[in-house]
Amino acid sequence: MLQSLPVKDPDQLVVISSYDPGENNVVDTFSYPTYQDLRDRNEVFSGVLARSGAQMNVSYEGRSDRIRGELVSGNYFEVLGVRPWLGRLFTENDDRTPGDHPVAVLSYSFWERRFGKDLEIVGKTILVNEYPLTVIGVTPPG
């Protein structure tokens, strides 16, 4: 019923959260500056990454798809030990200046379903919520 994530050392992953006494609940969302502080001051974990799910409208060649995507930090794939299936994945250099590297990585399943495994997709521009992003890579299956 429960499956491990298809990443390096899935049993070592933890979610950092805090308790909000005012709301009497656990909060697992942080501002980006808080994430940066946790990442930069980290002395316990092998890496700290950020991710947030989001509804997205992806347009390419006149066709749009409403999908559930992820907004992730530049070190996301490195910390998880994921290697690209095609092209490259995000790096910390993609994070240095907000908006400086408008790039996207496609999941294998979305690439297969929406782009028919087009090997030429790397380097092409897609619109995500009407914002142009260059596809730099595709993740492995799973």
Side-chain angles (χ1 to χ4, degrees), residues 74 88-97 99-101 103 136:
R88 73 172 182 88
L89 303 176
F90 302 129
T91 68
E92 290 190 39
N93 287 334
D94 295 315
D95 254 359
R96 299 222 186 270
T97 307
D100 196 36
H101 294 89
V103 294
I136 59 169

Side-chain angles (χ1 to χ4, degrees), residues 98-120:
D100 196 36
H101 294 89
V103 294
V105 171
L106 306 176
S107 71
Y108 185 94
S109 62
F110 185 63
W111 172 63
E112 178 179 47
R113 184 177 71 253
R114 173 61 176 86
F115 299 96
K117 293 186 178 180
D118 179 4
L119 297 173
E120 302 296 318

